[in-house]
Amino acid sequence: MSSDPVIIVGAGIGGLTAALALLRRGIDVAVYEQADELAEIGAGVQISANGTRVLHTLGLASALKACAVEAQSKEVRHWQSGRTWKLFDLGAASAERYGAPYYFIHRGDLHAVLAEAVYREKRDAIHLGATCAGVEQDTDGVTLHLAGGRQASGRLLIGADGVQSAVRASVFGAGRPQFTGCMAWRAVIPADRLRNGIPLAGTNWLGSGRHIVHYPLRRGEVLNFVALVDRADWRIESWTARGTPEECRADFAGWHEDARALVDAIAVPYKWALALREPMPRWSRGRVTLLGDACHPTLPDLAQGACMAIEDAFVLARCLAACGPDHEAAFARYEAARVPRTTRIVEGSAAAKSRFHDSRLADDRAAERYIAEEWSPERIEQRYDWLFRYDATAVEI
Ligand SMILES: Cc1cc2nc3c(=O)[nH]c(=O)nc-3n(C[C@H](O)[C@H](O)[C@H](O)COP(=O)(O)OP(=O)(O)OC[C@H]3O[C@@H](n4cnc5c(N)ncnc54)[C@H](O)[C@@H]3O)c2cc1C
């Protein structure tokens, strides 16, 4: 086997989890990240038991506990009447049922916990300011071409470079984003901007054609706010593009006062156009494979984007360790284990979006019947239990 490392392109959630899981198995890695520093960026992410189970196996339980909020419950509320229904109990119930907690965590905090753990394993594992411009491979290895003309060699390469993956484009051709006609507002609201403080339950406000999701972060000091609106007039897929508070408020005119209080408290709303790519039946070619958003970008409605990347990373590390030098066998086992589940989650997220935006939600009486049916305990269990039970540390490979 060549002594070159496994190259990982992208030091996001999936890339860092893969680096850590591989280093722990004695497999050398070199991570190349376009950002010049691993700065705090993004807002909240939800990590359900299927994700925390992996992170705990990687020894990160106490570091996560120190910066995450352990979710106690989630609920749904009607956009106009404000009526509340229970979605599910979390807290002790999640720990008891699934053996792992459900966390609300700032993406920057999760990222920092992962990066620190990677640095502890290998001080010079992560190369910053290194943008992938293309990938070449032959029977002996892979060459990563970086912007500016530098190159790096590896025996294998993992494209963990997110939704606009340059690795995917280089190896499989550029997929065209299909805009979904839906955009997201995102904001982080400090507690002192909210007269009634920060609601501690994770909440989904449901309305016809739009919904709001919010949950606490950082010991309840800030609230993470995400709202999806059926609107086709915004076409920029970005985590950093800004909108105006007025425009955001206009999208929620007429909503219940508790929901409007949140919208009114937003100082800087970020706008993100939701796009999907053709699902990929294969993620690997030769010595290159993909993970996370690079191969299965999803709508955020099942809150599984980060969890899927974490699961992919761990299963891929297990496959590479199990198959030794036979990377073809490793990639085949990885895809067999992961493609069906991630496809089901991507499809399930699109179905969840339609359910959250159903036209019956417009009318109060029809909404009552619709929510009682669609959010009955049996329906909720059917929709979520299989997600949370999945064990990437033990699933057959
Ligand atoms: C800046 C940012 C903010 C986000 N904020 C949120 C959020 O608030 N809430 C939420 O639910 N999800 C957020 N996400 C998405 C969420 O983190 C992902 O769905 C999930 O973590 C999937 O992980 P991933 O590793 O596949 O991709 P990501 O976590 O997106 O990581 C991809 C990494 O690859 C790097 N990269 C991209 N192109 C190149 C290139 N050509 N060369 C080298 N490196 C490259 C990126 O800089 C990034 O570090 C955010 C993603 C990003 C990049």
Side-chain angles (χ1 to χ4, degrees), residues 167-235:
V167 176
R168 180 187 60 217
S170 175
V171 175
F172 291 93
R176 246 185 298 132
Q178 295 152 13
F179 284 94
T180 56
C182 186
M183 60 147 288
W185 288 108
R186 295 172 40 248
V188 176
I189 308 170
D192 60 12
R193 291 183 69 92
L194 293 167
R195 200 155 22 102
N196 298 327
I198 289 200
L200 290 180
T203 306
N204 291 359
W205 287 86
L206 309 183
S208 174
R210 58 205 63 201
H211 79 284
I212 296 174
V213 177
H214 61 76
Y215 50 86
L217 295 174
R218 293 189 169 151
R219 296 161 294 278
E221 290 157 19
V222 292
L223 184 84
N224 191 63
F225 174 100
V226 180
L228 266 61
V229 182
D230 288 337
R231 265 179 58 174
D233 60 342
W234 180 251
R235 289 283 179 113

Side-chain angles (χ1 to χ4, degrees), residues 157-169:
L157 185 145
I158 301 170
D161 50 346
V163 65
Q164 308 198 40
S165 171
V167 176
R168 180 187 60 217

Side-chain angles (χ1 to χ4, degrees), residues 7 9 46 53 87 111 137 172 182 190 228 298 314 318 361:
I7 290 178
V9 180
Q46 303 188 46
R53 188 175 293 121
L87 183 53
H111 198 247
Q137 56 176 317
F172 291 93
C182 186
L228 266 61
T298 183
F314 200 87
R318 287 179 57 208
L361 290 160

Side-chain angles (χ1 to χ4, degrees), residues 18-85:
L20 186 57
L22 286 165
L23 288 168
R24 290 275 168 80
R25 284 175 162 72
I27 298 176
D28 190 24
V29 301
V31 184
Y32 293 85
E33 163 61 44
Q34 67 181 0
D36 291 326
E37 52 172 338
L38 294 181
E40 180 173 298
I41 192 161
V45 286
Q46 303 188 46
I47 309 292
S48 45
N50 46 312
T52 48
R53 188 175 293 121
V54 171
L55 299 173
H56 285 190
T57 302
L58 288 168
L60 305 178
S62 59
L64 287 175
K65 198 173 175 142
C67 58
V69 171
E70 183 166 358
Q72 296 303 314
S73 64
K74 287 184 92 174
E75 50 194 34
V76 291
R77 297 190 69 179
H78 184 252
W79 69 281
Q80 196 177 35
S81 69
R83 190 176 158 195
T84 305
W85 291 261

Side-chain angles (χ1 to χ4, degrees), residues 8-16 32-35 38 41-46 105-107 110-111 130-133 144 146 159-167 186 188 215 224 226 239-240 272 291-296 298 300 303-310 312:
I8 299 174
V9 180
I13 305 301
L16 291 178
Y32 293 85
E33 163 61 44
Q34 67 181 0
L38 294 181
I41 192 161
V45 286
Q46 303 188 46
I105 187 166
H106 196 291
R107 185 178 179 277
L110 171 58
H111 198 247
T131 301
C132 167
L144 169 66
L146 294 166
D161 50 346
V163 65
Q164 308 198 40
S165 171
V167 176
R186 295 172 40 248
V188 176
Y215 50 86
N224 191 63
V226 180
W239 291 103
T240 50
W272 164 36
L291 65 73
D293 283 0
C295 47
H296 46 69
T298 183
Q304 288 294 315
C307 287
M308 278 195 285
I310 291 167
D312 284 349

Side-chain angles (χ1 to χ4, degrees), residues 264-284:
D264 288 346
I266 296 173
V268 183
Y270 291 92
K271 287 171 93 168
W272 164 36
L274 294 172
L276 287 172
R277 269 103 184 145
E278 272 297 296
M280 297 177 66
R282 302 289 316 273
W283 300 346
S284 315

